[in-house]
Amino acid sequence: MDLFRKKKIELNQTSGMKKELKTSDLIMLGIGAIIGTGIFVVTGVAANQNAGPALSLSFVLAAVVVILSGLSFAEFASRVPILGGPYAYLYVVFGEFIAWLTGWLLISEFLLAVSSVASGWSGYVQGFLASLGVELPTALTGGYNRENGTYLDLIAVLVVVFVTYIVSLEAKKALRLNNVMVFVKFGIIALFIVVGIFFVKPANWTPFTPFGFSGVLDGAALVFFAFLGFDAVAMAAEEVKNPQKDVPRGIIGSILIATVLYIVVTLILTGIVPFTELGVSDPVAFAMRYVGHGTVGAVIAVGAILTLLTVTISMMYSLARLLFAISKDGLLPKYMTEIDEKHRTPKKATYTAGVVAVFFAGAFPLDILAELTNITALTYLILVSLGLLKLRKQFGQPKAGEFKVPLVPVLPIISILTCVILMLRLQAITWIVFAIVMLIGLIIYFTYGYKNSVMNQKQGE
């Protein structure tokens, strides 16, 4: 049994999908995936329970981890510009087994992200409908919870169905809606900054670190998932006009823009409202209501409802491309490799992703999904950093025109250590569920993937 058979880089292979995306499309895709739940939901609770005003430092720490990982992604994307993102990268340097584990982690992350954001989006919409006097039956307002009397999150199901349809269309059409929503998102954030800056009271930043540095670390572990989504850019490699240059620019550009926005919004938020009062699910809108600007708060709330769609679109887009790439290698059923003749998109992979996401979004409460998303992402980021060290050893230095990570091996090693530190801040139950998820992945590989792998068929010839 050869678990470490490696895929060769075939730059001239074609997937049948249109190559029409540019750097600007990729940056918008990345921002659409990154800026969402983190800025509109998590900031309040993280400041209230973990870091206080020092949450801005938590975002800086989380950003450092993400940027270090993003550099490795950028070099891989430049030197191995093939569909599948980190799954494909590690197939080239480590071989099939590690590639499958990475692919399984990515599937878990994207699936959990789509489902959790849809669930969070449902909460916003239900709150908005309630303000208009419209309320759904309790049984249809949340994931399965007999104590609360909820059995299905109907709105979360409907939004996943809608997003699945949008993503099944041409990439340009799906991302066009994404881009419109990203501009709406920028408008909402700009509105909050312009209005909120006049209500900042520096006294609210004292004490700046009420929970100490430990709280800053806990805050970083919690808000880390607010940066997830930059990897969505790498998934678009086979639909990009110039992937060796555009994909690295898209990755780094989206991370840097998101980092600046998170820090600015967090500082203003904790400057307006004492952190002890921020334990709410809509902190940005709450801050406006807190200073007597209820109308601005309502605009922000409606905008948040609209723009959280961009996260589900970006993540569903990436999940479908990932399933398509893994199926091409035979590790998942081949039917997901079919390209729709009209739209030139992997429609069956998209529909498969949608069906599974509908199940999780409709049946599982939001709190079960969050930390598991973090631990799966941190694990595969460690594998990507290790993979960069192997890439340099296997293929040498990047060529002229290819992106190059500076200070190798120092920066990849720092990236690995910072990921481990954040993982150690997560709860024990998260580790238990994570172990179960990985066990399921191993079962799929050894009962189906290894035998049906394209690499296995080639070895048998």
Side-chain angles (χ1 to χ4, degrees):
M1 180 175 279
D2 183 5
L3 298 178
F4 302 101
R5 48 202 181 198
K6 296 175 182 176
K7 182 192 288 188
K8 293 182 180 178
I9 303 174
E10 298 177 20
L11 297 181
N12 295 321
Q13 65 179 349
T14 58
S15 64
M17 291 189 278
K18 291 182 180 179
K19 288 182 174 289
E20 58 181 357
L21 304 182
K22 299 177 291 186
T23 299
S24 58
D25 293 310
L26 296 179
I27 290 177
M28 286 295 193
L29 174 65
I31 292 173
I34 294 170
I35 301 177
T37 310
I39 206 164
F40 293 120
V41 180
V42 178
T43 43
V45 175
N48 177 256
Q49 298 180 4
N50 298 103
L55 183 64
S56 55
L57 295 183
S58 298
F59 274 114
V60 171
L61 285 178
V64 168
V65 177
V66 173
I67 289 171
L68 288 173
S69 300
L71 291 174
S72 295
F73 264 79
E75 182 168 324
F76 265 117
S78 180
R79 302 181 69 183
V80 192
I82 56 179
L83 189 70
Y87 157 77
Y89 306 156
L90 299 189
Y91 213 144
V92 170
V93 295
F94 282 134
E96 186 173 277
F97 181 63
I98 301 300
W100 165 255
L101 290 181
T102 305
W104 182 244
L105 288 165
L106 279 163
I107 290 171
S108 301
E109 181 212 333
F110 288 139
L111 189 60
L112 290 165
V114 169
S115 303
S116 60
V117 174
S119 180
W121 192 87
S122 174
Y124 264 90
V125 173
Q126 288 178 45
F128 179 70
L129 291 175
S131 69
L132 300 177
V134 179
E135 294 194 16
L136 294 174
T138 302
L140 302 179
T141 58
Y144 181 75
N145 188 323
R146 291 186 65 180
E147 292 182 5
N148 295 337
T150 59
Y151 293 89
L152 177 73
D153 193 334
L154 178 62
I155 293 177
V157 167
L158 293 177
V159 74
V160 171
V161 170
F162 171 73
V163 167
T164 301
Y165 170 71
I166 291 295
V167 172
S168 72
L169 303 177
E170 293 178 19
K172 199 72 175 178
K173 289 182 179 178
L175 297 188
R176 192 174 295 131
L177 175 60
N178 179 75
N179 292 354
V180 170
M181 291 300 181
V182 168
F183 282 117
V184 172
K185 190 180 299 187
F186 277 138
I188 294 168
I189 294 171
L191 176 64
F192 173 73
I193 292 172
V194 169
V195 175
I197 199 166
F198 293 103
F199 294 93
V200 169
K201 296 180 180 179
N204 288 334
W205 291 331
T206 304
F208 191 67
T209 55
F211 303 99
F213 186 69
S214 175
V216 174
L217 279 177
D218 290 338
L222 180 61
V223 302
F224 173 78
F225 85 92
F227 286 95
L228 297 180
F230 73 90
D231 42 8
V233 177
M235 296 299 169
E238 286 198 19
E239 294 166 274
V240 179
K241 288 183 178 179
N242 186 358
Q244 289 184 309
K245 291 186 178 180
D246 290 341
V247 174
R249 290 171 182 168
I251 291 171
I252 301 301
S254 57
I255 292 174
L256 291 177
I257 292 171
T259 301
V260 171
L261 289 175
Y262 278 143
I263 292 171
V264 171
V265 168
T266 301
L267 285 173
I268 292 177
L269 181 66
T270 54
I272 295 174
V273 185
F275 74 91
T276 53
E277 299 182 43
L278 276 175
V280 294
S281 60
D282 58 344
V284 178
F286 173 78
M288 291 294 94
R289 295 195 297 269
Y290 187 83
V291 293
H293 283 276
T295 302
V296 175
V299 170
I300 289 174
V302 172
I305 289 171
L306 292 174
T307 58
L308 283 175
L309 274 177
T310 63
V311 182
T312 51
I313 289 173
S314 298
M315 290 295 187
M316 181 64 77
Y317 173 92
S318 303
L319 178 56
R321 270 63 184 171
L322 178 63
L323 292 174
F324 173 80
I326 296 177
S327 298
K328 279 179 67 177
D329 292 327
L331 299 176
L332 287 174
K334 281 286 186 181
Y335 79 90
M336 287 188 282
T337 64
E338 293 181 27
I339 297 292
D340 179 69
E341 291 186 6
K342 180 180 179 181
H343 299 296
R344 311 308 301 169
T345 57
K347 182 172 284 189
K348 289 189 176 179
T350 305
Y351 287 161
T352 300
V355 168
V356 181
V358 160
F359 170 71
F360 279 97
F364 287 82
L366 179 59
D367 55 355
I368 293 177
L369 304 172
E371 281 201 0
L372 188 57
T373 307
N374 279 2
I375 198 168
T376 53
L378 286 163
T379 303
Y380 85 75
L381 292 182
I382 290 173
L383 291 174
V384 170
S385 294
L386 290 170
L388 181 72
L389 298 177
K390 188 71 186 308
L391 180 73
R392 288 289 185 91
K393 184 177 180 181
Q394 193 170 327
F395 296 101
Q397 296 290 320
K399 299 174 184 176
E402 295 178 336
F403 184 86
K404 180 180 180 181
V405 177
L407 300 175
V408 174
V410 176
L411 289 187
I413 290 173
I414 293 175
S415 176
I416 292 166
L417 292 175
T418 51
C419 285
V420 170
I421 289 170
L422 290 188
M423 289 174 74
L424 293 176
R425 310 300 297 190
L426 300 174
Q427 301 176 63
I429 186 63
T430 304
W431 284 90
I432 294 171
V433 177
F434 175 66
I436 295 171
V437 168
M438 294 308 296
L439 179 61
I440 294 172
L442 291 174
I443 291 171
I444 292 173
Y445 177 71
F446 286 111
T447 58
Y448 180 89
Y450 183 86
K451 179 177 63 176
N452 293 281
S453 165
V454 170
M455 297 293 288
N456 193 50
Q457 308 303 325
K458 288 181 178 178
Q459 285 183 339
E461 293 175 356

